[in-house]
Amino acid sequence: MSADQISVTFAALADPTRRAILERLAMGEAPVKELSVPFEMSQPAITKHLKVLEHAGLISRSREAQWRPCKLEAKPLQDASAWIEQYRQFWDESFDRLDDYLKELQSEEATSKEKKDGRSTRKRR
Amino acid sequence: MSADQISVTFAALADPTRRAILERLAMGEAPVKELSVPFEMSQPAITKHLKVLEHAGLISRSREAQWRPCKLEAKPLQDASAWIEQYRQFWDESFDRLDDYLKELQSEEATSKEKKDGRSTRKRR
DNA sequence: TGGTTAATTAACCAATAAGTAAATTAATAT
DNA sequence: ATATTAATTTACTTATTGGTTAATTAACCA
């Protein structure tokens, strides 16, 4: 564990079991036993995957009696997403327009004014 | 190599050297020697990283005399991005508006009409 | 108390990953 | 032909990953 946070995040996402767990957790919290049901895999194996996810900050854990519910923590995904979005222009033809819209959205929220202008000056391809 | 494509993509992105190589290639094509300059690492090591990236479809390679230029191929990033975007609602407060905008954008492009309506009916949080 | 369920820990194994140094291939240049 | 430069291949080492089974901890239940 000397890797940077985004490396840890991508490494955690590189396993299909772990991604499936995250997808399940998007529906709501769940204890280990329940998470393990869809997989032909021992419970210790699931515990290990959960440790990887927890270490990556992608889940958090609490206690309820003998259960340890897992909860999705999507924050690291935001950074991963931001990294990938750098490259959107290389695949997305409508990148310019989306990019402009996001900038506009941001300035809208930052300044809370200029609600109905700007758009007319946007670049178009 | 029996993993699904998105696992291969995330695994390729989990290494900081490989991410740095992709960032360099976003500026334009480059041969192996040039790519290896910023790293304290032997050339065979770079060759290995390039193979991982090529195997993941994140770069392609050609030939020019004794050089093998590498070129960024961002397509797999689109799928990785799409996977992560599933979770945007868990971190992004303006998810609803962006989601609505993307839907609007899509229908705009599909139908090529209804250019200046819709926005007034969007959900707001 | 003892039994059951939930989950983790410990010890182990096989496969993969990330690096090295040395040898080899391929193209260019003299 | 030979030397140089670019890149890869080979063989090897070390650490990590993903899984196993068996034992242990922890909380609840009757």
Side-chain angles (χ1 to χ4, degrees):
Chain A
M1 197 282 283
S2 66
D4 54 301
Q5 182 54 47
I6 201 159
S7 293
V8 172
T9 300
F10 279 132
L13 296 179
D15 185 281
T17 301
R18 289 194 290 264
R19 288 199 309 280
I21 288 173
L22 292 179
E23 285 174 1
R24 164 64 189 80
L25 291 178
M27 311 286 102
E29 301 193 17
V32 178
K33 194 95 187 296
E34 186 183 329
L35 290 176
S36 74
V37 170
F39 306 104
E40 290 175 344
M41 194 181 296
S42 66
Q43 232 136 359
I46 300 294
T47 291
K48 279 194 180 184
H49 282 305
L50 294 176
K51 280 203 170 162
V52 173
L53 291 170
E54 187 177 17
H55 183 239
L58 286 162
I59 65 171
S60 61
R61 319 202 57 183
S62 51
R63 303 193 70 130
E64 261 180 61
Q66 68 260 230
W67 297 279
R68 272 81 157 188
C70 301
K71 181 170 172 288
L72 178 66
E73 299 287 345
K75 177 63 181 57
L77 293 176
Q78 185 171 11
D79 303 317
S81 177
W83 189 89
I84 293 181
E85 288 300 313
Q86 291 184 278
Y87 299 89
R88 177 178 286 279
Q89 59 189 296
F90 291 98
W91 80 73
D92 188 0
E93 294 185 8
S94 60
F95 172 74
D96 285 349
R97 284 194 286 167
L98 179 61
D99 186 50
D100 291 346
Y101 175 71
L102 292 175
K103 288 204 182 81
E104 182 204 348
L105 186 67
Q106 193 178 359
S107 69
E108 261 183 39
E109 290 182 353
T111 67
S112 251
K113 58 188 174 189
E114 307 181 47
K115 279 279 197 322
K116 45 168 74 83
D117 61 331
R119 299 195 90 206
S120 58
T121 67
R122 289 187 308 151
K123 282 177 298 190
R124 299 258 178 191
R125 21 171 92 238
Chain B
M1 197 282 286
S2 67
D4 55 300
Q5 183 55 46
I6 200 158
S7 293
V8 173
T9 301
F10 279 131
L13 296 179
D15 184 282
T17 301
R18 289 194 289 264
R19 288 200 310 282
I21 288 172
L22 292 179
E23 286 174 0
R24 164 62 188 82
L25 291 178
M27 311 288 101
E29 300 192 17
V32 179
K33 194 94 187 296
E34 185 182 329
L35 290 175
S36 74
V37 170
F39 306 104
E40 290 176 343
M41 195 179 295
S42 66
Q43 231 136 1
I46 300 293
T47 291
K48 278 195 182 182
H49 282 305
L50 293 177
K51 279 203 169 159
V52 172
L53 290 170
E54 187 177 18
H55 183 238
L58 286 163
I59 65 171
S60 61
R61 318 202 56 183
S62 51
R63 304 193 68 129
E64 260 180 62
Q66 69 259 227
W67 298 279
R68 273 80 158 187
C70 302
K71 180 170 174 288
L72 178 66
E73 299 287 345
K75 175 66 181 58
L77 293 177
Q78 185 171 10
D79 303 316
S81 178
W83 190 89
I84 293 182
E85 287 300 312
Q86 292 186 276
Y87 298 90
R88 176 179 286 279
Q89 59 189 294
F90 291 98
W91 80 72
D92 189 358
E93 294 185 7
S94 60
F95 172 75
D96 285 349
R97 284 195 285 168
L98 179 60
D99 187 49
D100 291 346
Y101 174 71
L102 292 175
K103 288 203 181 82
E104 180 200 350
L105 186 67
Q106 191 176 1
S107 69
E108 260 182 41
E109 290 182 353
T111 67
S112 252
K113 57 187 174 192
E114 306 182 49
K115 281 278 198 318
K116 46 167 74 83
D117 62 329
R119 301 195 88 209
S120 59
T121 68
R122 289 186 304 150
K123 280 178 299 188
R124 298 257 177 192
R125 12 174 100 237

